[in-house]
């Protein structure tokens, strides 16, 4: 890609966000009812290419069950309120009542409560008992400490998710997590991320991960760009990681690693463009934070918001627009792309002439900045 001169001493690539590209229809169209948006990772098939972010404002054991029944996959945050408190609902209601900046300080205080290992097992078993695929998230820092409780409880998919996760973490204070060895010794598929570059993704794929998260998580609720200055626009990040997937397939003799776009997708159009850029599925939070069933009561925040020393996220108010079923499958009463997310994806694919997700990844896109 062409380098752009930032100044005499620094060049950089021009990168693109999802709202700067557009999808180009092909010469044929299809009936939306004949379009498949199903995807499969390891032995688990899902009717929707939707993974719900491990955020307390969106995923509780109950909403994880509901998402599973609708055909998606919700990831429970095992470092969130559901593993720190026997009943976190009063605290969630309190957070919804807080005003302005005091919310971050109060979140930090609430999350000081230690994680309880017995609650990890209980929450996972609660979701499993409903008969849906169970996914749970730990940060790289806590994976070694709590992973056994996750496996013993019967989680189907293990998610190791941080703002930025690398296969070559260097630390002089503690022995870093050896992802390759750790994943090799597990009997469940592992999804790991985030990452945003070709090289970082390729190294994560070589660890044996079943899926790689693209992006720095948090989406609308994170302030990583403001606090750390770290940012890679999602259209470019997804495309780069999709290229790493292609090259890793050649390198490994055909092993396919799923690319999951994580963050920065607030509307149905964003979801369609993420898949057009090469994602197999999307991980979203804010669209489902608007559901009446969401634990955040119309507010949204991620794990970055409660960091004890350097919060890189904030509590955002979205309000509610409808039920979980309406947000996923419609009908929609608004024209802003916040409802009937999966119906919109089907229509985009049908309009562009593609019958399934793998075909749709080949659709033509153009640079089309919003005006």
């Amino acid at each position: 890609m062409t380098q752009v001169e930032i100044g005499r001493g620094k060049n950089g690539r021009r990168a693109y966000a999802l709202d700067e590209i557009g999808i180009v229809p092909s010469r044929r169209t299809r009936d939306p009812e004949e379009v498949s948006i199903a995807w499969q990772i390891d032995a688990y098939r899902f009717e929707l290419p939707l993974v719900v972010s491990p955020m307390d404002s969106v995923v509780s054991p109950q909403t994880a069950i509901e998402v599973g029944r609708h055909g998606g996959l919700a990831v429970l945050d095992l470092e969130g309120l559901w593993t720190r408190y026997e009943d976190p609902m009063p605290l969630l209601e309190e957070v919804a009542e807080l005003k302005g900046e005091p919310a971050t300080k109060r979140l930090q205080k609430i999350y000081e409560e230690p994680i309880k290992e017995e609650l990890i097992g209980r929450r996972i078993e609660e979701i499993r008992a409903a008969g849906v695929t169970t996914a749970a998230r730990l940060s790289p820092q806590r994976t070694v400490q709590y992973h056994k409780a996750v496996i013993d409880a019967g989680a189907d998919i293990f998610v190791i998710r941080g703002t930025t996760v690398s296969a070559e973490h260097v630390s002089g204070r503690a022995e870093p997590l050896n992802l390759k060895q750790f994943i090799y010794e597990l009997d469940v598929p592992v999804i790991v991320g985030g990452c945003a570059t070709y090289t970082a993704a390729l190294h994560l794929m070589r660890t044996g991960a079943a899926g790689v998260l693209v992006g720095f998580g948090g989406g609308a609720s994170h302030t990583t760009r403001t606090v750390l200055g770290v940012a890679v626009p999602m259209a470019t990040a997804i495309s780069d990681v999709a290229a790493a997937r292609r090259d890793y397939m050649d390198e490994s003799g055909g092993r396919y690693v799923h690319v999951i776009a994580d963050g920065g997708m607030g509307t149905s159009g964003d979801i369609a463009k993420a898949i057009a850029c090469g994602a197999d599925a999307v991980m979203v939070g804010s669209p489902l934070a608007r559901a009446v069933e969401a634990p955040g009561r119309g507010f949204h925040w991620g794990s970055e918001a409660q960091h004890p020393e350097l919060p890189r996220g904030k509590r955002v108010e979205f309000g509610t627009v409808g039920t979980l079923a309406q947000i996923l499958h419609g009908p929609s009463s608004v024209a802003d792309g916040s409802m009937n997310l999966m119906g919109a994806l089907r229509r985009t694919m049908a309009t562009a002439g593609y019958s399934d997700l793998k075909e749709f990844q080949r659709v033509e896109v153009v640079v089309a900045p919003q005006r």
Side-chain angles (χ1 to χ4, degrees):
M1 188 178 290
T2 304
Q3 293 283 315
V4 177
E5 184 180 284
I6 297 168
R8 293 193 179 190
K10 180 69 70 173
N11 291 340
R13 287 197 303 158
R14 172 69 168 93
Y16 297 94
L18 291 172
D19 62 5
E20 294 180 282
I21 68 166
I23 294 168
V24 181
S26 67
R27 61 182 175 85
R28 66 167 64 90
T29 57
R30 295 183 181 274
D31 187 329
E33 297 303 316
E34 297 177 1
V35 169
S36 170
I37 57 173
W39 76 298
Q40 182 166 331
I41 183 167
D42 203 82
Y44 302 101
R45 176 185 167 88
F46 303 95
E47 294 307 310
L48 310 179
L50 178 90
V51 184
V52 185
S53 300
M55 295 176 166
D56 283 338
S57 56
V58 183
V59 181
S60 66
Q62 188 56 45
T63 55
I65 292 168
E66 288 302 311
V67 169
R69 288 172 175 166
H70 283 291
L73 175 69
V75 183
L76 185 68
D77 184 6
L78 297 181
E79 299 174 25
L81 297 179
W82 294 96
T83 59
R84 296 174 190 264
Y85 296 92
E86 190 78 31
D87 180 13
M89 293 308 295
L91 293 168
L92 289 163
E93 291 169 3
E94 178 190 346
V95 171
E97 296 296 325
L98 294 174
K99 305 295 182 184
E101 288 302 318
T104 298
K105 188 174 290 187
R106 180 57 180 148
L107 282 172
Q108 290 174 313
K109 187 68 176 177
I110 290 172
Y111 283 90
E112 286 179 359
E113 181 72 15
I115 296 169
K116 298 173 179 61
E117 197 163 320
E118 65 272 15
L119 286 178
I120 291 178
R122 197 186 310 172
R123 302 308 187 197
I124 292 172
E125 289 166 2
E126 184 179 341
I127 300 170
R128 275 184 61 83
V132 301
T133 303
T134 307
R137 172 263 180 187
L138 287 171
S139 66
Q141 295 83 357
R142 289 194 168 110
T143 292
V144 172
Q145 182 178 0
Y146 293 117
H147 79 276
K148 190 174 186 303
V150 179
I151 302 304
D152 290 347
D156 297 308
I157 297 174
F158 197 140
V159 179
I160 302 174
R161 180 180 185 258
T163 302
T164 304
V165 178
S166 76
E168 299 182 14
H169 181 65
V170 178
S171 174
R173 297 184 301 169
E175 185 68 25
L177 173 65
N178 185 325
L179 274 174
K180 189 170 187 176
Q181 179 181 342
F182 178 81
I183 291 173
Y184 176 78
E185 293 174 352
L186 287 183
D187 292 328
V188 299
V190 176
I191 297 172
V192 62
C195 68
T197 67
Y198 172 94
T199 302
L202 189 59
H203 281 244
L204 287 178
M205 291 172 184
R206 288 169 178 163
T207 66
V212 170
L213 298 172
V214 184
F216 300 122
S221 68
H222 85 77
T223 58
T224 299
R225 178 170 186 159
T226 304
V227 177
L228 300 183
V230 173
V232 180
M234 282 296 286
T236 295
I238 296 166
S239 300
D240 283 351
V241 175
R245 175 186 60 202
R246 176 200 62 212
D247 292 349
Y248 178 70
M249 279 188 69
D250 293 339
E251 174 187 305
S252 63
R255 184 172 181 271
Y256 190 91
V257 178
H258 294 267
V259 172
I260 303 169
D262 179 11
M265 290 161 291
T267 66
S268 55
D270 293 333
I271 291 172
K273 287 188 278 188
I275 294 173
C277 286
D280 296 289
V282 297
M283 176 176 275
V284 299
S286 60
L288 300 188
R290 296 181 172 94
V292 295
E293 301 95 329
R297 306 288 196 276
F299 287 88
H300 185 46
W301 67 91
S303 58
E304 303 90 351
Q306 44 88 7
H307 193 282
E309 299 168 358
L310 190 67
R312 301 178 308 282
K314 58 186 178 180
R315 191 198 59 158
V316 180
E317 183 175 7
F318 285 114
T320 56
V321 296
T323 65
L324 184 62
Q326 289 172 324
I327 290 172
L328 291 178
H329 301 297
S332 174
S333 58
V334 295
D336 60 3
S338 64
M339 298 181 73
N340 198 1
L341 303 178
M342 297 297 102
L345 175 60
R346 287 180 186 275
R347 185 164 293 277
T348 300
M349 292 170 60
T351 300
Y354 294 89
S355 61
D356 61 45
L357 296 174
K358 290 308 300 177
E359 283 188 0
F360 186 55
Q361 289 174 346
R362 301 196 297 268
V363 69
E364 181 184 354
V365 299
V366 294
V367 177
Q370 288 189 342
R371 294 182 179 180

